[in-house]
Amino acid sequence: MAILFFFFFVSFIASFSFSLPEHHFHFTKHGLRQNTSSQSQQYLEITRPLPFANLAPSCTFHILTHDFGNTMGLPPVSASYSPPANCSWTHVALQFNASSKGTQYDRIAAVWLGGAEILRTSTADPTNEGIFWTVSKDVTRYCSILVNQNISLSVMLENLVNDIYTGVYQVNISFLYYDVKKRDVSLSSYLDSNRKLKLKNEVLVNNLRSEYEQPADLILPISGNGSEGFWFRILNESELHGQRVIIPKNTYKAVIEIYVSSHGYDEFWYSNPPDSYIQMNNLTTKRGHGAYREVLVNIDENLVGSLVPFPVIFTGGINPMYWEPLVSIGAFDLPSYNIDLTPYLGLLLDGEAHFLGFGVNDSIPFWLVDANLHLWVDNNCALPCKVHTKALAFRTPKFKIKRSSSFLGLDGSVEVEMKRKSEMSFWVNSTAGYLTTIIKRELKFKSKINFYLNGTEKNIKQKVKEEIEVRVLSDSGGTISQTKVKRKFPLTIISKTLASRENGTTLMLSDLDHEWKEKKKSDGGSSSSLTNRQHCNGWMVVQDHNVIHGGATTQQTYSYSDDVDCYSRIISAANGKLVNDTANSLCAAAPLKFGSFSAL
Ligand SMILES: *[C@@H]1O[C@H](CO)[C@@H](O)[C@H](O)[C@H]1NC(C)=O
Ligand SMILES: *[C@@H]1O[C@H](CO)[C@@H](O)[C@H](O)[C@H]1NC(C)=O
Ligand SMILES: *[C@@H]1O[C@H](CO)[C@@H](O)[C@H](O)[C@H]1NC(C)=O
Ligand SMILES: *[C@@H]1O[C@H](CO)[C@@H](O)[C@H](O)[C@H]1NC(C)=O
Ligand SMILES: *[C@@H]1O[C@H](CO)[C@@H](O)[C@H](O)[C@H]1NC(C)=O
Ligand SMILES: *[C@@H]1O[C@H](CO)[C@@H](O)[C@H](O)[C@H]1NC(C)=O
Ligand SMILES: *[C@@H]1O[C@H](CO)[C@@H](O)[C@H](O)[C@H]1NC(C)=O
Ligand SMILES: *[C@@H]1O[C@H](CO)[C@@H](O)[C@H](O)[C@H]1NC(C)=O
Ligand SMILES: *[C@@H]1O[C@H](CO)[C@@H](O)[C@H](O)[C@H]1NC(C)=O
Ligand SMILES: *[C@@H]1O[C@H](CO)[C@@H](O)[C@H](O)[C@H]1NC(C)=O
Ligand SMILES: *[C@@H]1O[C@H](CO)[C@@H](O)[C@H](O)[C@H]1NC(C)=O
Ligand SMILES: *[C@@H]1O[C@H](CO)[C@@H](O)[C@H](O)[C@H]1NC(C)=O
């Protein structure tokens, strides 16, 4: 007897009565004989160390300790924040520690400071022996908020605890303050004996500066009122959520930073079949509208930007054993996305309130979205002095979407291709000069899903590619800077569902390959390159949404380099244990571009 892939999901969904969010491709390890060790195990997301992590913090502020037990439907937990007194710092790290023991679903969580989101994270599925992890994030770019006295830190982590789902998430949050300049001074005594160290340190300072460039002077949160978390809950594509803002008239640069995660019927949006497939086969699943999604940013009625998010897979996703103890790319520190809104300053600088809103194309319930509007103001132009700006050429953005599908019963294929292309130029006249900027952007999305063997085998192939080129010209027309950023998010998932010999159970086989690839090239600035790839393979026997037994391997390669720093790590895990782990922070044949180095 063949158990049908889709029927499996349908019955699986139908038999699940919800106070919990629905989970498709989504499991817990309840029932799994987890007996590998009796010790609490550390989970981790592979990333490079923070550039200042080897310095001793000038001060540490342990701001919150909280056990998230039955928190479903409750407002966020909060604590009062003020920067430490008498502490000199230039950089700040947020440290989010968590531990849990028992059985539990992965949960989504976020940390807001003064209403601005500073971390979106998800939890790892615990085991009976217990697990713990640490997320360290450079939050220096939120400096203009971190200097404020007596503001509120809020944390949302909705969890449900009962006889079956016993895992409570225990969370500690700290801020670590670093003085990178002070290290410069303390290092001067080493100077004569080690000039190289000194130079490296200077470059470190420069590099830290260029990482996000200078932090914004002002950050305006575009977020909800906080009663259900400060994020907006987007249920479908006709919803546009946002807030009205008034920005200072001496603003010369504006960037919107968007935090986003997908849940419920859209948690695995990239694997959803089209509605026609569902209807044709009389399926009752609500996970349709496949398989293109795009987050849109509006100012008033105008679309001003968009992004296709990296598909972050939470730790119950696809095969929960993939994520023991190496979690999926972005699972502990979900990426945020920056869109330059400077071209629209002409619209925003009129002193009036403008609506900044977010929507998700083709979405079904639900998406959690909010944003921070980072503003740089001309400090040599004190209000009511006004920065002047004007859009020049505005080639109408091109948008194309092509969908095709062909099905015979539960077999067949569906393809979606989307392309967005825009080019614009504008000038800004501030006390920094009369600068003209040209921004070219191209976003390409391609998805193909194939169903075989009466729908019991499903192959998903998705590619997202983005290219952004920014050129800044001086008033004499000379190029001041030119930056090119390329990003690629390829994703391949193969999954097969078979009847299992055990009664009422299903055998599921899967293979996943996904990657975050990014290259930044800059004339007169810093360049960097990042490749972060995971390949997972596994099997499991499931009953309802519980994994009874199985096996999995995960291999990850992480490789980062910029003008001064390199970091690479090759790590793998098999059946919940790390088997190989090699890290290297030496730059192999480093192509040092800094003039100061060639002088050595
Ligand atoms: C699991 O743990 C129990 C008790 O700690 C032990 O009796 C049993 O032998 C273990 N099973 C395996 C497969 O390691
Ligand atoms: C601030 O710190 C410095 C050096 O650590 C110390 O000398 C000074 O007394 C401190 N001031 C206050 C007000 O605590
Ligand atoms: C968080 O974890 C790190 C290491 O994993 C540890 O050094 C730090 O003390 C922990 N912080 C808190 C507040 O528990
Ligand atoms: C949180 O901090 C408390 C007190 O310092 C400590 O006992 C606990 O182990 C910490 N938990 C985590 C997850 O870091
Ligand atoms: C901090 O803010 C709270 C409420 O917003 C207020 O009750 C409290 O007095 C403030 N504390 C200080 C030191 O300003
Ligand atoms: C806050 O937002 C929620 C959800 O949008 C809404 O239901 C609630 O009424 C709002 N509360 C306040 C005090 O505005
Ligand atoms: C979208 O959701 C709103 C409720 O938030 C509902 O009123 C509306 O009918 C929905 N639209 C579609 C197309 O489903
Ligand atoms: C779907 O339902 C319709 C009407 O009940 C029926 O005519 C059709 O044969 C069904 N299709 C499949 C594939 O079961
Ligand atoms: C830029 O602003 C300065 C000072 O306000 C003004 O003198 C100059 O004419 C402006 N340049 C252009 C090209 O508008
Ligand atoms: C394919 O699945 C349908 C629906 O469950 C079933 O009626 C049909 O017999 C299956 N065909 C084969 C060849 O297994
Ligand atoms: C499978 O389970 C059903 C109901 O629980 C039972 O009637 C049937 O005998 C079982 N079959 C086997 C092969 O164990
Ligand atoms: C781990 O490393 C060993 C030797 O270094 C190698 O033989 C093995 O293939 C590696 N395993 C994985 C899963 O990469």
Side-chain angles (χ1 to χ4, degrees):
M1 183 190 73
I3 295 182
L4 296 173
F5 190 63
F6 256 88
F7 278 22
F8 167 72
F9 286 123
V10 170
S11 62
F12 158 63
I13 287 158
S15 68
F16 202 170
S17 74
F18 287 103
S19 43
L20 287 168
E22 263 191 47
H23 295 275
H24 165 81
F25 257 177
H26 204 158
F27 307 91
T28 69
K29 294 173 285 189
H30 182 60
L32 188 63
R33 289 178 278 278
Q34 319 157 355
N35 228 22
T36 48
S37 83
S38 56
Q39 271 192 344
S40 180
Q41 192 181 7
Q42 181 168 19
Y43 276 41
L44 62 161
E45 179 182 341
I46 301 302
T47 182
R48 62 185 178 280
L50 301 184
F52 44 84
N54 56 349
L55 308 183
S58 320
C59 340
T60 299
F61 177 15
H62 184 164
I63 185 167
L64 184 96
T65 294
H66 192 80
D67 289 354
F68 292 87
N70 251 323
T71 48
M72 203 61 86
L74 296 182
V77 169
S78 58
S80 172
Y81 172 91
S82 290
N86 200 22
C87 174
S88 92
W89 51 272
T90 59
H91 292 76
V92 185
L94 172 74
Q95 206 169 61
F96 180 103
N97 290 9
S99 65
S100 186
K101 200 172 175 169
T103 300
Q104 194 49 267
Y105 278 106
D106 56 67
R107 303 292 181 187
I108 189 71
V111 179
W112 293 269
L113 188 62
E117 185 160 350
I118 59 174
L119 175 73
R120 179 80 55 102
T121 186
S122 69
T123 65
D125 280 13
T127 61
N128 291 331
E129 291 75 31
I131 64 167
F132 66 98
W133 68 93
T134 293
V135 189
S136 290
K137 177 173 177 177
D138 183 356
V139 291
T140 308
R141 73 180 300 198
Y142 306 108
C143 195
S144 65
I145 298 175
L146 288 159
V147 295
N148 290 338
Q149 299 287 335
N150 201 23
I151 52 173
S152 183
L153 176 106
S154 313
V155 185
M156 183 91 170
L157 193 168
E158 282 188 287
N159 190 23
L160 196 105
V161 175
N162 55 30
D163 291 348
I164 301 167
Y165 301 104
T166 52
V168 168
Y169 289 106
Q170 303 181 309
V171 172
N172 286 342
I173 296 178
S174 307
F175 287 100
L176 279 65
Y177 301 81
Y178 296 88
D179 191 347
V180 171
K181 284 192 307 251
K182 199 159 112 197
R183 166 159 153 153
D184 234 359
V185 175
S186 66
L187 262 177
S188 58
S189 53
Y190 292 93
L191 233 182
D192 297 332
S193 58
N194 201 337
R195 281 189 61 210
K196 196 166 176 175
L197 190 59
K198 166 77 161 58
L199 274 172
K200 169 113 181 163
N201 196 53
E202 273 172 3
V203 179
L204 172 73
V205 174
N206 286 334
N207 208 41
L208 287 170
R209 211 169 278 141
S210 67
E211 186 124 320
Y212 304 121
E213 300 167 2
Q214 292 287 353
D217 301 297
L218 180 65
I219 297 173
L220 302 177
I222 315 291
S223 52
N225 63 30
S227 61
E228 303 176 324
F230 292 86
W231 41 39
F232 299 112
R233 203 169 280 257
I234 296 179
L235 301 180
N236 63 44
E237 69 169 338
S238 47
E239 290 192 347
L240 196 63
H241 285 277
Q243 199 176 305
R244 296 176 79 78
V245 290
I246 298 175
I247 75 165
K249 286 186 173 178
N250 58 348
T251 302
Y252 68 89
K253 180 179 166 185
V255 170
I256 192 150
E257 178 198 19
I258 299 147
Y259 280 95
V260 53
S261 49
S262 62
H263 306 277
Y265 299 134
D266 249 354
E267 178 175 345
F268 303 97
W269 58 270
Y270 41 84
S271 78
N272 286 11
D275 293 354
S276 61
Y277 180 87
I278 295 171
Q279 281 153 15
M280 200 168 84
N281 290 294
N282 293 342
L283 305 175
T284 55
T285 180
K286 288 185 174 150
R287 296 166 190 280
H289 267 216
Y292 143 80
R293 300 289 184 270
E294 193 179 7
V295 179
L296 307 176
V297 183
N298 270 42
I299 298 180
D300 302 326
E301 257 75 68
N302 309 303
L303 174 67
V304 297
S306 76
L307 64 100
V308 176
F310 180 82
V312 174
I313 301 166
F314 304 128
T315 58
I318 306 183
N319 181 336
M321 279 170 292
Y322 283 171
W323 318 121
E324 300 175 329
L326 297 173
V327 302
S328 175
I329 298 169
F332 283 162
D333 184 3
L334 275 84
S336 61
Y337 304 85
N338 299 305
I339 296 176
D340 194 342
L341 293 185
T342 314
Y344 303 96
L345 276 183
L347 190 70
L348 294 169
L349 287 180
D350 60 1
E352 304 286 320
H354 291 274
F355 180 76
L356 269 165
F358 312 99
V360 184
N361 261 356
D362 277 14
S363 60
I364 51 177
F366 61 96
W367 288 67
L368 296 174
V369 183
D370 61 21
N372 298 318
L373 182 60
H374 295 248
L375 301 173
W376 286 258
V377 299
D378 190 344
N379 288 316
N380 297 317
C381 165
L383 293 169
C385 165
K386 186 175 184 309
V387 164
H388 291 272
T389 171
K390 193 171 187 241
L392 299 169
F394 216 92
R395 201 174 296 171
T396 317
K398 284 188 196 146
F399 175 71
K400 266 200 281 195
I401 186 157
K402 204 172 86 190
R403 300 171 195 257
S404 61
S405 63
S406 105
F407 294 113
L408 188 62
L410 290 160
D411 288 347
S413 72
V414 53
E415 252 185 283
V416 188
E417 264 183 81
M418 186 277 291
K419 196 166 160 180
R420 253 185 220 281
K421 203 170 172 176
S422 63
E423 181 173 344
M424 48 198 154
S425 60
F426 57 93
W427 57 257
V428 176
N429 191 13
S430 69
T431 58
Y434 176 91
L435 302 178
T436 302
T437 304
I438 302 158
I439 303 183
K440 290 185 195 173
R441 179 194 187 231
E442 189 177 69
L443 175 65
K444 284 184 188 170
F445 169 88
K446 195 171 174 174
S447 154
K448 185 167 188 175
I449 306 178
N450 284 304
F451 299 90
Y452 304 108
L453 301 174
N454 214 17
T456 60
E457 181 174 335
K458 191 172 177 178
N459 291 7
I460 299 158
K461 222 176 174 63
Q462 181 176 293
K463 278 182 188 162
V464 181
K465 190 173 160 188
E466 186 181 23
E467 262 186 68
I468 302 169
E469 200 182 319
V470 181
R471 233 173 94 197
V472 181
L473 309 171
S474 69
D475 53 0
S476 62
T479 299
I480 294 178
S481 76
Q482 188 161 8
T483 311
K484 211 172 186 173
V485 179
K486 281 192 199 182
R487 251 175 234 123
K488 279 187 196 171
F489 307 154
L491 167 75
T492 308
I493 303 172
I494 300 171
S495 63
K496 297 177 191 179
T497 304
L498 306 162
S500 159
R501 250 173 279 140
E502 286 160 78
N503 206 1
T505 65
T506 307
L507 171 64
M508 300 183 77
L509 311 175
S510 61
D511 190 279
L512 162 77
D513 198 327
H514 67 166
E515 187 174 6
W516 181 299
K517 220 174 146 82
E518 182 169 322
K519 262 198 160 82
K520 189 175 157 194
K521 226 176 164 171
S522 173
D523 294 347
S526 64
S527 299
S528 64
S529 159
L530 169 69
T531 309
N532 190 3
R533 178 175 183 180
Q534 283 177 322
H535 180 213
C536 313
N537 188 282
W539 64 276
M540 57 183 179
V541 172
V542 301
Q543 186 168 38
D544 287 341
H545 48 284
N546 292 320
V547 178
I548 295 166
H549 43 251
T553 60
T554 296
Q555 287 165 290
Q556 184 163 10
T557 45
Y558 183 102
S559 166
Y560 173 84
S561 69
D562 61 27
D563 300 304
V564 267
D565 279 319
C566 299
Y567 182 76
S568 71
R569 192 153 176 187
I570 299 174
I571 187 164
S572 17
N575 301 323
K577 282 186 180 146
L578 291 181
V579 287
N580 282 1
D581 185 3
T582 330
N584 193 338
S585 50
L586 296 172
C587 296
L592 294 174
K593 291 185 199 104
F594 279 75
S596 52
F597 273 84
S598 53
L600 278 175

